[in-house]
Amino acid sequence: MTNRQDGRRSSRAARRVSRAAQRQHGQGNSEPVPAHTMPRPQPLDADLVCEAERRGYLEFSPEQTRITYICARRFTDDYTDPEEQVRAAIYAWLILDRGYPANRIEVEVPVPRRTPADRADIVVYGDRHPFLVVEVKKTDSGNAEFERGILQGFGNAANLRASYLLVDSGTESIFYDVENCPDVRDRDRYRLGDRKTWVQAPPFTAALCST
């Protein structure tokens, strides 16, 4: 591939990722949220999807409407969906920023003992069991929708027997210790931070080193 072709490809990928962020910055969130539940904004780098595509972790259809995740199990979905754009950015972040091998990641994972067709958006596996479940929400999610994502994520993580949960809209994120949380109603006590702050904690870095 020529440098000119590679540059055009990178520009298209960067524009795709930026659309979701532009919608978030263009809309305010007027619903009141208690201070102890408010996620802290930590925007993802818009270049992550571009770089993941360049390295072969992602593929796009010629029309740029379909995305394929190249991981432990290939999965293709509709990239025109705003939530899919966020999932692609988080998937790229897990690999490029946090260093997880793509073969330890699955997308759209069936969840046992949940309603039919209920699936976890992203699952990162440790040596034997799921380590992290990611519940993705679109960037312009309201507080009620984000809260529903937390509840759904807790159910998925518990049924998959994962240790941790990340609920993430690309601009807002919360990490939870699901393994030690006895009841979802007590979740505030087991909140570990957001995507940026908690990943420096020993539980996450230790598990990362063991992969």
Side-chain angles (χ1 to χ4, degrees), residues 86-105:
V86 177
R87 175 158 64 177
I90 297 170
Y91 167 84
W93 172 77
L94 287 166
I95 296 172
L96 301 177
D97 189 276
R98 301 316 308 159
Y100 278 108
N103 62 8
R104 291 289 186 100
I105 298 174

Side-chain angles (χ1 to χ4, degrees), residues 118-205:
D118 195 3
R119 297 172 181 268
D121 292 324
I122 301 174
V123 177
V124 179
Y125 291 87
D127 290 333
R128 298 181 180 178
H129 305 290
F131 169 67
L132 172 69
V133 167
V134 181
E135 176 65 25
V136 175
K137 306 308 294 182
K138 61 184 180 179
T139 53
D140 56 358
S141 297
N143 295 317
E145 184 176 355
F146 199 90
E147 179 68 17
R148 285 193 296 271
I150 293 174
L151 297 177
Q152 182 178 359
F154 257 89
N156 290 344
N159 280 283
L160 288 169
R161 299 184 181 276
S163 299
Y164 299 102
L165 168 68
L166 168 64
V167 184
D168 205 318
S169 68
T171 56
E172 299 175 342
S173 60
I174 306 180
F175 264 116
Y176 289 101
D177 178 358
V178 177
E179 186 175 30
N180 293 305
C181 181
D183 192 297
V184 67
R185 291 170 295 186
D186 297 327
R187 61 187 177 276
D188 285 344
R189 295 174 53 196
Y190 296 87
R191 176 174 170 174
L192 300 172
D194 56 29
R195 181 188 344 106
K196 182 177 180 180
T197 59
W198 185 63
V199 294
Q200 305 302 326
F204 194 93
T205 53

Side-chain angles (χ1 to χ4, degrees), residues 32-44:
V33 179
H36 67 283
T37 61
M38 176 66 78
R40 296 173 58 186
Q42 298 291 344
L44 283 162

Side-chain angles (χ1 to χ4, degrees), residues 23-41:
R23 278 192 294 274
Q24 174 69 18
H25 291 307
Q27 298 184 28
N29 205 336
S30 58
E31 299 177 37
V33 179
H36 67 283
T37 61
M38 176 66 78
R40 296 173 58 186

Side-chain angles (χ1 to χ4, degrees), residues 29-78:
N29 205 336
S30 58
E31 299 177 37
V33 179
H36 67 283
T37 61
M38 176 66 78
R40 296 173 58 186
Q42 298 291 344
L44 283 162
D45 185 349
D47 292 331
L48 287 171
V49 170
C50 172
E51 182 63 17
E53 181 187 16
R54 189 185 71 82
R55 297 193 190 186
Y57 298 121
L58 291 170
E59 292 178 356
F60 289 92
S61 65
E63 300 81 11
Q64 313 298 319
T65 58
R66 306 286 291 175
I67 183 172
T68 298
Y69 298 85
I70 314 299
C71 50
R73 182 174 55 86
R74 289 174 66 106
F75 179 77
T76 300
D77 213 337
D78 179 10

